[in-house]
Amino acid sequence: MLTFALVALVIITVSAGLIHLIRTKPIQRVRGPPSPSFLLGHEHALSTQNEVGDLEFEWLRTYGPTWRIRGEFGIHVLMTADPKALQHIYHKSAYNYTKRTSANIMAEIMTGPGIAVSLGRDHQRHRKIMNPAFSAAHLRTFLPLFQRIGTKMVEQWKTDLSGAERMSMVVNKWLSRATMDIIGEAAFDYQYGALDKGAGSPIIKAYDNLFSDINKPSAMVALFRATWDYIPIPILRLFRFVPAEPFTRLRNLRGLFTEYGKQILREQRAEIDVEKVSKSKDVMSILIKANSSADPQTRLSDAEIMAEMFTLTLAGHETTASTLTFLTYELAKHPEYQARLRKEIQDRRALVMSRGDASFSMEDLDSLTLTMNAIKETLRFHPIVSYLPRVATKDDVIPLAYPIVSTTGETITEIPVHAGQVIFPSFMAYQRIKDIWGEDADVWNPDRWLRPETGKQTKVGVFANLMTFSAGVQACIGWKFSIIEMQALLAEIIENFELSLSSEKHTIRRAPAGFGMVPMIEGREDLGTALPLQVSLVQQ
Ligand code: HEM
Ligand SMILES: *[C@@H]1O[C@H](CO)[C@@H](O)[C@H](O)[C@H]1NC(C)=O
Ligand SMILES: *[C@@H]1O[C@H](CO)[C@@H](O)[C@H](O)[C@H]1NC(C)=O
């Protein structure tokens, strides 16, 4: 039986592969690097490179912003950093470029049927119910929460310093706890208690290092996952019952979430009937309200709403924490910029105090230009999601802003693709194009944002024309949430502490994790995600 299943699997995969080769004919004129391995292609190389971006930057230099690589089982994959191509794929074509099954199913096994894994009309339904909770007006109401958690974290650092001049600490762990507590309260009024050492919820424990652990597949596992693109989806869904890692771990985590989710739904629904609900501001109560007033056809099921909770935690916590971590690292590497930033924050503080206010308002934070530029620059330089596969659902022609030279020496200004074509749009490479970001695109320099021409080319992303939050109908719904969160936390940290590089002279790697990256210490990967810095109290 097993042999039969295996043989069937091989036959399906091989024939699908052959069909694929024919379907990818049009893009075979695009130049690209020779494949390191027939079975693994460049895909495995991308997810095991030393620093995320090493390969993309080399390809960008060699071939221009659009090139062709090999995927697993030798398929031809179009990789592009071209702004017009990105705009076309994410923006103009709406759902005509969809998510790739092998990646999406893995995410679905993790989160359940939530917004991030739903496609087409289904996705529209999720997004419609979720949108009200992410309006600019509503997000401002979360500012006091961001500030409360920020203050709590800062107080704990002060306690840990306990009079010492400086201490070494693993910043990312702290930021990760702070963003976890924030997303719990903001998303569903739940106390993860991540900053309360040891007293955290069981979810916290099940969560530790999840991203870096499950996204580091061996070559065999990577190939096994690659076959998923050729297996019917209902069968794939059964994989979540496989009694092996990482499925066991994902199953446990999802089990915990479902347990809490049911409890929260019960509590929130009870509230729905009382007046109190009008005061609840967390995303979940807004969802439940939106759901109860929506047209019956656009409503979300209980399983879907529970999946949103899990999705928000997963999408909204480590992403923001890692971005902030890289930001603190850059500030430690650039003490002069850090000092300017601190001065900006302190000056504003003086104004706030003269007004008689206790904390920064949204307008105060928005007036901190150097702080905002540091955030933008870090999102550009360290995009936590470095590329996101898409698959064409229709035959189409992708336009290019930067023409490329074909394998036969002709100039190509647009690329025809067949339905089924796999594309890896590279956010990492897009954000290093010198024509768009300046000759110094390969250095972290927040002052580029003072130049009026920065990023002013083809309109792509949702924020600062960056792709870090993706773009179009399936762009990050939480981008503005994340920006306000970072503004608040950064002001809190920099006003109180001076950050400097660890005395142990660690080399920090942007280690690959799935389509993204996490900070790790070179040679100390056993520590999981880690970015140690020295922290000392700002002298008043
Ligand atoms: C720096 C921080 C963040 C980054 C870099 C980031 C990046 C992204 C990216 C690239 C996507 C597209 C994923 C895809 O197409 O597969 C996405 C989607 C999403 N993000 Fe974020 N995100 C961040 C913060 C947040 C926060 C704070 C939240 C929640 C409060 C959030 C919630 C979501 C959700 C729900 C989706 C799915 C949206 C949809 O499919 O319609 N993200 N994010
Ligand atoms: C998606 O593809 C269909 C069929 O090719 C086309 O008619 C439609 O305009 C496309 N949608 C968008 C938003 O481009
Ligand atoms: C949303 O509405 C549908 C239809 O009325 C209902 O079955 C479902 O339980 C609701 N979901 C939540 C989470 O309230």
Side-chain angles (χ1 to χ4, degrees), residues 473-521:
V473 285
Q474 296 182 90
C476 179
I477 202 172
W479 72 269
K480 182 82 184 160
F481 181 105
S482 179
I483 298 288
I484 302 176
E485 185 180 5
M486 289 194 274
Q487 285 175 289
L489 293 178
L490 195 60
E492 197 75 44
I493 295 170
I494 298 302
E495 191 179 9
N496 287 288
F497 298 101
E498 218 156 283
L499 309 172
S500 50
L501 291 176
S502 158
S503 54
E504 287 167 62
K505 307 258 179 294
H506 300 295
T507 305
I508 300 298
R509 285 177 57 210
R510 273 200 310 243
F515 305 129
M517 60 198 203
V518 291
M520 282 194 183
I521 302 173

Side-chain angles (χ1 to χ4, degrees), residues 148 382 402 447 490 499 502:
R148 173 160 52 81
H382 300 289
Y402 299 99
D447 287 332
L490 195 60
L499 309 172
S502 158

Side-chain angles (χ1 to χ4, degrees), residues 124 146 209 291 415 471 510:
Q124 257 175 335
F146 300 159
N209 275 327
N291 183 61
I415 300 176
R510 273 200 310 243

Side-chain angles (χ1 to χ4, degrees), residues 88 91-97 393-396:
H88 180 86
H91 244 295
K92 297 206 162 156
S93 312
Y95 296 106
N96 280 355
Y97 289 84
T393 59
K394 309 269 166 62
D395 291 0
D396 195 15

Side-chain angles (χ1 to χ4, degrees), residues 255-294:
L256 280 174
F257 256 95
T258 311
E259 200 179 298
Y260 282 106
K262 282 191 180 139
Q263 195 183 321
I264 288 160
L265 271 188
R266 264 199 308 276
E267 286 166 11
Q268 298 253 17
R269 278 233 190 77
E271 281 181 15
I272 274 280
D273 301 322
V274 279
E275 285 300 298
K276 193 178 160 201
V277 75
S278 58
K279 284 201 274 158
S280 302
K281 294 201 166 65
D282 61 284
V283 175
M284 202 52 49
S285 38
I286 308 243
L287 285 191
I288 293 173
K289 267 182 273 183
N291 183 61
S292 59
S293 56

